[in-house]
Amino acid sequence: MNQLIFGTNQQIRFATENDFYETLGFLSKSDGTTSLVWEHNETSGAWGSEGRIQCYKNIQKFPVALSAAFTAGVGNILYRINCNEYIEHISQHHAMVYGDTQNLVRVRSTVPPA
């Protein structure tokens, strides 16, 4: 069974494992809706690094587990989702990479058969 709750404040929560994998598919579309980033904020005097999902468009289509964790965006970023644990998990266990382009074949290969 996959981990379903992420973050020190449990800000990302999936109701089911199916929800987890549907969200992984949503993030893998590489259609300009999202970008995964790791911001090294400690270099500018802030508290520390932050793993984020930057959200650019299609806000109404975001899975509930992600939209419930929206925080304010800046510039052309409509919302951000901050959760180091989730970003680390999907990059280490599900072949997600930083940036706005994902390798769908590699990500799909991490999903167990139904």
Side-chain angles (χ1 to χ4, degrees):
M1 174 168 244
N2 204 30
Q3 180 178 346
L4 298 178
I5 299 173
F6 297 89
T8 53
N9 297 320
Q10 301 182 346
Q11 63 267 38
I12 296 182
R13 303 170 141 260
F14 298 96
T16 66
E17 199 164 36
N18 192 47
D19 289 345
F20 175 89
Y21 288 115
E22 283 185 18
T23 299
L24 194 64
F26 176 82
L27 293 173
S28 301
K29 292 187 304 184
S30 303
D31 66 352
T33 297
T34 62
S35 181
L36 299 182
V37 297
W38 192 267
E39 296 178 359
H40 294 279
N41 298 330
E42 69 277 10
T43 60
S44 61
W47 182 75
S49 296
E50 191 77 53
R52 290 190 166 128
I53 301 168
Q54 296 175 336
C55 311
Y56 297 100
K57 62 182 185 178
N58 299 322
I59 297 303
Q60 70 283 359
K61 295 182 180 177
F62 272 69
V64 171
L66 297 182
S67 63
F70 280 160
T71 61
V74 295
N76 67 337
I77 303 166
L78 300 176
Y79 293 99
R80 297 184 296 186
I81 300 165
N82 307 323
C83 189
N84 293 0
E85 185 179 20
Y86 181 66
I87 300 301
E88 288 173 343
H89 182 84
I90 62 177
S91 64
Q92 292 174 1
H93 301 286
H94 296 287
M96 299 290 288
V97 297
Y98 298 115
D100 60 1
T101 304
Q102 303 298 324
N103 182 326
L104 187 57
V105 173
R106 288 195 66 219
V107 173
R108 201 176 267 158
S109 74
T110 70
V111 177

